Each structure stands twice: as structure tokens, then as C-alpha cells.
Amino acid sequence: MKTQVADLTFELSIPYASIEKRVGEIAGQISSDYSGRIPVMVGILSGSFLFVADLVKQIETPIEVTFAKLASYYGGTSTTRKIRDDFDLTIDIKGRDIILVEDIVDTGNTMHYLIEKLKVREPASITVCSLLLKPDALERTIPELKYTGFEIANEFVVGYGLDYKELGRNLKGIFKKVE
Ligand code: 5GP
């Protein structure tokens, strides 16, 4: 299935049914890993909004949910290396178990930056949950990355929250750019 987003053409890569199944598995894992604790899930906006929504619906233990804004892409299809620092997490996370939720880990620079920034606030623990991971693009290891939905090739994707020029977030599955 092909679809047009702004000036680019994309084709279906991961159908929604597969996402749903995998999200259910991750939710189960989180529920058992955090049993007896009340973690704080921090969704990184805007890309993670659908993933967080689907995930928390299936988590069976008490969990707090909040969002923070941070972005490194400026409407293009490759990483800019500049992280726009408008990270605005206002809650007190000292002594709390944090689960950072991202749409995608590409070079890993954003996640590394974010983790370092959060560590200063002395949380009890930080783990990362990313829907997608591009292993071939990773420039640094992220030991905190405990939950990954799907590993994908080094290709540009949209859909299920991820955008191209702010469009395509509403596509139900993950779509990859047609070369
Ligand atoms: P990193 O710092 O790991 O290189 O980049 C992470 C951020 O870049 C993600 O949160 C996401 O906003 C953006 N990004 C990386 N790869 C893609 C992609 O294939 N599609 C879209 N839409 N955004 C991406």
C-alpha cells in the first residue's frame, strides 16, 4: 500500500495489527517489571503520543503518565544533530522510576542527551521504551534502552505518530519512504 505525504511517497512497512500485538507484549513486560512500584511514563512529544496512548491502555499496574517536548528533526528526512532544547518536564522526578517513551531511536543522540539531563534530577531509575530502533544508525549505546518495538533498516519512516513536515502522524501503520 502506497501513500503520499507532502512531496514524498511512502509504502507500508509495519501494519497496525503488528504494532498492536507488539505494544501489548511490551505493556505486559512493563506491567510485570514495575509490579509493586508506581513508575512515571514520560512520552517525548510529538512523535510518541499514539504509542503512549496504546501502551498505557494495556498496562495493568498503577502508572503516572506525562509528556515532554523535545525534537531534533526540522521537517527533513535525516538527523540534524541539533537538539532543540525546549524540554519542559515540570514534575518532580527525584526518587521516581522513569520510563522514557520515544517514537524512534536513530543515532541515539537525543536519548543520550535527555537521559543525562534527567539524571541530574536524581530519579531512582531511568529506562527507555522506543517503538522503533535503527541499529545501523546508532552512534552510541543506550544501556537504558530496555523495551524496543521493532528494529528497522536505516530508512525514513512516518505514521503512527511520526511525521514528515508535520504530516503523516495520523497514518495507522508505519510507512517507509520509497526511494
Ligand atoms: P536521534 O537523536 O536518535 O538521531 O533522533 C531521534 C529523533 O529523530 C526521533 O525522536 C525522531 O523525532 C527523529 N527521527 C529519527 N528517525 C526518524 C524517521 O525515520 N522518521 C521520522 N519521522 N523521524 C525520525
Side-chain angles (χ1 to χ4, degrees):
M1 196 196 356
K2 288 198 178 161
T3 187
Q4 188 77 18
V5 179
D7 54 329
L8 295 178
T9 307
F10 292 82
E11 64 185 13
L12 185 61
S13 170
I14 308 172
Y16 184 65
S18 308
I19 297 174
E20 231 179 352
K21 183 167 172 282
R22 187 72 190 113
V23 169
E25 290 167 358
I26 296 172
Q29 254 179 288
I30 291 176
S31 302
S32 72
D33 290 352
Y34 288 87
S35 147
R37 292 187 275 168
I38 304 179
V40 185
M41 181 169 278
V42 181
I44 308 304
L45 290 172
S46 303
S48 74
F49 77 106
L50 287 177
F51 183 32
V52 170
D54 283 350
L55 205 51
V56 296
K57 277 186 276 185
Q58 300 198 63
I59 291 177
E60 285 158 3
T61 49
I63 188 162
E64 288 180 29
V65 184
T66 188
F67 288 91
K69 182 102 186 153
L70 187 96
S72 67
Y73 268 38
Y74 292 82
T77 60
S78 65
T79 197
T80 57
R81 291 176 187 281
K82 276 185 247 145
I83 298 164
R84 196 178 63 211
D85 186 4
D86 49 5
F87 185 64
D88 58 356
L89 187 65
T90 48
I91 58 163
D92 184 11
I93 60 164
K94 190 167 179 177
R96 304 298 306 272
D97 295 305
I98 305 300
I99 307 172
L100 277 177
V101 180
E102 255 286 29
D103 49 1
I104 188 163
V105 172
D106 185 354
T107 62
N109 289 322
T110 305
M111 220 5 104
H112 175 78
Y113 169 84
L114 209 48
I115 290 165
E116 292 307 308
K117 218 171 151 91
L118 287 180
K119 275 183 183 166
V120 177
R121 303 193 195 182
E122 299 175 33
S125 68
I126 303 177
T127 59
V128 174
C129 172
S130 183
L131 177 70
L132 303 172
L133 171 68
K134 295 181 185 172
D136 295 343
L138 261 187
E139 291 177 3
R140 47 173 92 238
T141 50
I142 313 278
E144 294 83 358
L145 182 57
K146 192 163 178 198
Y147 312 99
T148 302
F150 302 90
E151 292 192 353
I152 61 168
N154 206 352
E155 59 205 7
F156 184 73
V157 293
V158 292
Y160 194 64
L162 290 112
D163 77 304
Y164 170 57
K165 294 186 175 174
E166 289 302 327
L167 295 171
R169 296 192 196 277
N170 56 319
L171 293 169
K172 237 183 155 187
I174 298 291
F175 289 71
K176 63 179 178 191
K177 182 163 103 51
V178 176
E179 295 306 324

